[in-house]
Amino acid sequence: MRIAVGGIHTECSTYSPVLMTEEDFRVLRGQALLEAEYFSFMKAEDVEHLPLLHARAVPGGPVSRGVYDAFKAEFLEGLRAAVPIDGLYLAMHGAIKVDGMDDAEGDWISAARAVVGPDCPIAASYDLHGNVSRRIIDQLDIFAAYRTAPHIDTPETMTRAWSMLVSALRDGTRPGIAWAPVPVLLPGECTSTEDEPAKSLYAQLPEIDKRPGILDANLMVGYVWADEPRATACAVVTATDKPAAKRAAEEIAAGYWAERSNFRFGPVTGPLNEMLDIAERATTTPIILADSGDNPTGGGVGDRADVLKALLARGWRGALIAGITDRPAVEACFAAGAGETLMLKIGGSLDPASPCAEMLVEVVRLDDSGLERERQAVVRVGAIDIVIAARRRPYHDIEDFRRLGLDPEAVRLLVVKSGYLSPELAPIANPNLMALTEGVVNQGIAGLASLRRQRPAYPFDQDFAFEPVARFSSRWSSGD
Ligand SMILES: [Zn+2]
């Protein structure tokens, strides 16, 4: 069996003015794709995998059109060279915005379908924060999405999608998809699967999988910071039995709708100054404060200095801010050298609307992996240490700190640009506070500009009735 593999994977806030460029993507192609840890689960003796192109980026602003077009052209060129194939597996995120284009995954997947033809099954794995459109569903045969947020089931999800494809090819069955949109758009921070009611809603999915004729049940939260017509939550069920698929999709959709007003932020959450008041009174450490409006892993720019400015204004003692993206500031630190003191402006290097702070700092440490865009600097102002990064990136893993000689457990206050904390930071937070800061992934959902979304949609609209109706992929419908 010949299965081609590729895809494009990122999440884009349409509120961000900072376009993603080629440099933002990690691109796998050829043998490097097959040898990547990310795709290491694809092992079956009777399957030959044909690597296309897989491009993945930390979430951010819209992808520039030229970069998207170039990735798509290379992917399609590989696909044209690979056909005839028995199946296609796409590892997607689901929330890309391409500058000037709606429903980029719909565009990508439709283009792939046009190359492989109507008889080739296509399987896709998704992040549960993807926005699924009718156009996407109509081109797919198999779908599986994460069931955890924070996402700790990425390999398992990819394996589910790929395994269903391999099984279908082996036994000659042709699964199909039922899709039931739910007009609800909530942030990931309210819908963490570690907290109710998402925890229970997601716990049902493996149970639904066990029903006869059902292969894989999914609940998509969608991505709220995309002001696009397709943005929506939905249920997506891969199955071999149509009535069972329809019932399951409508049941999952109805369950999410019924709970829509019960989602809450997991940690203690509030305006920045309130959170800093709480932090000042705290007697335990490390307090981990999430600067949620500028979280790069949710699509935030990551260059804002709001929290730094607030801490300076309070004369705060004992904090580590990790990090703020500011390439010119990093370069200035490298030019000065470790141990030197300089006047430094930090913040606002990417989005002119982002606040900045200017102050005298001491360069504590420089980190150079050999690539200019990977450089980092640690600077100190009073009793506040600040990590500055040349590129947009999170500091969510312990190793991110260790590399810089920093111990996140040893500080009084750790500030990270994050929504819900990562699996490595959550266990050490004592306590965890989430600040409702400004930025392009602002958690004030009801106040987001909503010019292009389909309405009504909760929480933008509160008072409307809804009854879920599942539709089949047109590929499945035409098989009647
Ligand atoms: Zn996600």
Side-chain angles (χ1 to χ4, degrees):
M1 288 188 293
R2 289 161 55 82
I3 295 179
V5 184
I8 185 162
H9 190 294
T10 193
E11 175 179 78
C12 310
S13 168
T14 61
Y15 299 99
S16 172
V18 184
L19 295 188
M20 275 197 227
T21 67
E22 191 177 0
E23 201 179 77
D24 292 302
F25 285 85
R26 179 279 282 134
V27 182
L28 295 172
R29 36 170 79 88
Q31 199 58 27
L33 186 154
L34 295 181
E35 286 167 7
E37 172 71 26
Y38 192 66
F39 286 106
S40 60
F41 65 91
M42 299 188 307
K43 296 237 171 0
E45 283 198 349
D46 54 343
V47 178
E48 180 193 355
H49 290 101
L50 304 152
L52 306 172
L53 165 134
H54 190 262
R56 180 173 182 160
V58 171
V63 177
S64 74
R65 182 67 190 255
V67 169
Y68 172 80
D69 286 345
F71 284 149
K72 183 181 149 195
E74 185 182 339
F75 166 79
L76 292 175
E77 190 185 331
L79 192 55
R80 278 188 214 102
V83 290
I85 54 172
D86 299 295
L88 172 62
Y89 166 54
L90 299 172
M92 310 295 278
H93 178 288
I96 301 180
K97 168 71 181 180
V98 172
D99 193 30
M101 178 199 281
D102 280 342
D103 195 11
E105 283 86 357
D107 175 72
W108 185 282
I109 297 170
S110 302
R113 170 62 68 197
V115 172
V116 300
D119 297 329
C120 174
I122 304 181
S125 55
Y126 258 62
D127 185 308
L128 62 86
H129 299 126
N131 287 323
V132 175
S133 68
R134 171 103 218 202
R135 187 180 180 205
I136 290 166
I137 291 298
D138 280 346
Q139 303 304 334
L140 293 177
D141 305 273
I142 291 165
F143 183 96
Y146 299 160
R147 288 169 170 176
T148 60
H151 308 312
I152 51 171
D153 64 339
T154 301
E156 289 85 351
T157 303
M158 296 170 76
T159 305
R160 276 159 47 213
W162 173 84
S163 303
M164 283 189 277
L165 178 61
V166 171
S167 299
L169 293 174
R170 279 186 188 145
D171 61 24
T173 54
R174 185 54 61 91
I177 294 174
W179 172 61
V182 191
V184 172
L185 277 165
L186 296 171
E189 284 61 35
C190 286
T191 49
S192 162
T193 58
E194 313 225 316
D195 305 319
E196 294 295 355
K199 190 175 183 175
S200 296
L201 290 171
Y202 278 88
Q204 291 172 14
L205 301 178
E207 299 306 313
I208 295 173
D209 290 352
K210 292 176 191 160
R211 294 180 192 169
I214 302 286
L215 297 180
D216 204 273
N218 299 282
L219 170 58
M220 301 292 290
V221 166
Y223 183 66
V224 67
W225 293 286
D227 187 15
E228 266 197 326
R230 72 169 183 177
T232 185
C234 63
V236 184
V237 177
T238 306
T240 53
D241 179 307
K242 279 188 189 168
K246 182 173 166 63
R247 257 197 317 276
E250 289 174 356
E251 179 186 325
I252 295 164
Y256 192 60
W257 172 255
E259 294 285 5
R260 67 192 178 282
S261 61
N262 296 327
F263 292 92
R264 302 280 182 272
F265 294 119
V268 173
T269 300
L272 177 58
N273 269 319
E274 261 176 46
M275 295 302 101
L276 292 179
D277 288 345
I278 293 173
E280 261 175 359
R281 294 193 298 268
T283 52
T284 54
T285 63
I287 305 156
I288 303 188
L289 178 88
D291 173 7
S292 63
D294 198 30
N295 168 22
T297 62
V301 176
D303 73 338
R304 299 181 64 99
D306 313 56
V307 183
L308 170 60
K309 289 181 77 165
L311 292 177
L312 290 172
R314 283 173 182 245
W316 188 278
R317 298 202 57 79
L320 170 61
I321 300 178
I324 299 174
T325 298
D326 194 322
R327 196 157 170 173
V330 171
E331 292 314 310
C333 292
F334 270 79
E340 297 300 316
T341 297
L342 74 157
M343 273 304 285
L344 192 65
K345 171 181 161 290
I346 303 176
S349 67
L350 293 169
D351 181 352
S354 296
C356 63
E358 193 158 11
M359 74 231 103
L360 199 63
V361 304
E362 181 199 345
V363 180
V364 176
R365 192 178 178 116
L366 298 170
D367 180 79
D368 190 357
S369 68
L371 281 175
E372 210 169 288
R373 66 170 184 269
E374 299 281 347
R375 281 178 168 179
Q376 306 171 78
V378 183
V379 299
R380 182 167 296 156
V381 51
I384 301 172
D385 283 355
I386 310 153
V387 179
I388 321 167
R391 69 174 171 94
R392 298 181 52 260
R393 54 161 293 174
Y395 289 83
H396 292 180
D397 295 336
I398 300 296
E399 182 53 33
D400 299 335
F401 297 92
R402 229 176 250 151
R403 182 184 168 91
L404 299 169
L406 300 166
D407 179 359
E409 293 196 62
V411 295
R412 178 183 172 208
L413 171 67
L414 171 64
V415 179
V416 285
K417 292 187 185 289
S418 187
Y420 47 56
L421 291 186
S422 68
E424 292 196 14
L425 291 184
I428 65 168
N430 188 20
N432 171 205
L433 305 171
M434 187 166 85
L436 298 173
T437 40
E438 294 295 316
V440 303
V441 291
N442 192 307
Q443 297 282 341
I445 300 306
L448 293 178
S450 189
L451 307 174
R452 305 193 58 237
R453 280 187 191 85
Q454 287 191 49
R455 306 288 289 269
Y458 183 87
F460 305 99
D461 307 285
Q462 302 272 338
D463 192 20
F464 64 102
F466 169 72
E467 201 63 56
V469 179
R471 302 178 182 114
F472 299 120
S473 159
S474 63
R475 290 177 52 70
W476 215 17
S477 305
S478 59
D480 282 327

